[in-house]
Amino acid sequence: MTLFVKSFPVGPLQCNCSVVGCEETKEAVVIDPGGDVEKILELVKEQGFTVKYLLHTHAHFDHIMGSSKLKEKTGAKICLHEKDKFLYDNLKMQCGLFGFKAEDPTPTDLFLNDEEEVKIGKFNAKVIFTPGHTPGSLCFSVADQESILFAGDTLFNHSIGRTDLWGGSFEDIIDSIKGRLFTLDDSTRVVTGHGEDTKIWTEKRENPFVQ
Ligand SMILES: [Zn+2]
Ligand SMILES: [Zn+2]
């Protein structure tokens, strides 16, 4: 059995969206559909996937702007941590402050909890609660031949997410990174919320925010 993973930047702030699917059952999830829904749908169709869940690392507007439309087109369930519900529900306000336009979003379907497993066909995505960038930030870890972490805006290549927006906490993000992400295997590939991939080992040694 094989895991399909493809990440690509979407939307106005080029948030990395990932399509993760089980090649055997053809069930898939989309992580952080922040826009460019047609592009996401094209890939899903090309792979013959059925999208079951839309997983959100957090509810900043640039990670949720395509969620309502993608749900409408696929029937997938909108999932996030309950502590980010206030951000999700205030999509219009968030967009307004950054100069973008949005409609009110479709309500969330499922709240995810720490250590919960989300089925992707024969694989599981493990939910890791990593507050700091937002109060309800999550990372998702999936393993096939290699382990992959979808880190959202918690951990970047040689950087970390900002903590000056609604409910952010520098202390919490550092605790989340050191206490949760740095306990993962060193070889874990990290798909970040924006920009280049990295590895846990690289960030342990070289990330200037967590030395
Ligand atoms: Zn963010
Ligand atoms: Zn972002």
Side-chain angles (χ1 to χ4, degrees), residues 1-161:
M1 72 189 188
T2 315
L3 188 71
F4 173 93
V5 179
K6 189 156 188 184
S7 305
F8 46 95
V10 296
L13 298 188
Q14 297 286 279
C15 142
N16 285 323
C17 168
S18 299
V19 174
V20 183
C22 172
E23 300 272 26
E24 206 172 312
T25 66
K26 293 292 175 188
E27 289 177 354
V29 301
V30 177
I31 301 175
D32 288 349
D36 295 327
V37 171
E38 297 308 325
K39 190 173 162 186
I40 300 169
L41 285 169
E42 205 171 291
L43 176 62
V44 164
K45 194 175 163 198
E46 200 179 280
Q47 295 299 320
F49 285 149
T50 303
V51 183
K52 295 291 215 183
Y53 303 103
L54 308 182
L55 305 182
H56 299 92
T57 59
H58 63 296
H60 278 157
F61 72 98
D62 55 316
H63 296 248
I64 63 172
M65 274 175 88
S67 305
S68 297
K69 190 171 168 201
L70 193 56
K71 181 188 170 165
E72 182 193 314
K73 300 275 183 187
T74 62
K77 289 188 161 66
I78 295 181
C79 312
L80 55 118
H81 194 279
E82 194 167 9
K83 286 192 167 168
D84 266 18
K85 184 178 184 293
F86 78 104
L87 289 170
Y88 185 87
D89 293 341
N90 283 298
L91 171 63
K92 266 172 129 170
M93 176 278 290
Q94 290 193 59
C95 283
L97 280 177
F98 282 83
F100 298 105
K101 272 219 160 79
E103 300 292 315
D104 272 326
T106 307
T108 47
D109 296 295
L110 278 176
F111 292 126
L112 300 172
N113 293 305
D114 193 23
E115 304 276 336
E116 192 174 318
E117 310 239 322
V118 178
K119 263 173 81 75
I120 310 174
K122 299 201 164 173
F123 295 89
N124 286 309
K126 193 175 138 196
V127 176
I128 308 171
F129 180 50
T130 51
H133 176 62
T134 64
S137 281
L138 299 173
C139 295
F140 304 105
S141 100
V142 191
D144 185 12
Q145 324 290 33
E146 68 168 348
S147 294
I148 307 175
L149 180 78
F150 298 91
D153 291 357
T154 296
L155 183 64
F156 294 130
N157 188 324
H158 292 82
S159 187
I160 63 171

Side-chain angles (χ1 to χ4, degrees), residues 191-209:
V191 175
T192 60
H194 301 266
E196 297 293 308
D197 280 15
T198 185
K199 295 262 186 192
I200 289 294
W201 177 231
T202 312
E203 297 310 312
K204 270 189 192 169
R205 278 181 307 167
E206 298 172 9
N207 192 308
F209 293 90

Side-chain angles (χ1 to χ4, degrees), residues 162-183:
R162 60 192 285 186
T163 52
D164 59 334
L165 294 171
W166 313 276
S169 159
F170 184 76
E171 203 184 4
D172 288 353
I173 199 172
I174 296 296
D175 283 352
S176 292
I177 294 169
K178 286 188 173 171
R180 303 300 302 275
L181 303 187
F182 283 0
T183 61

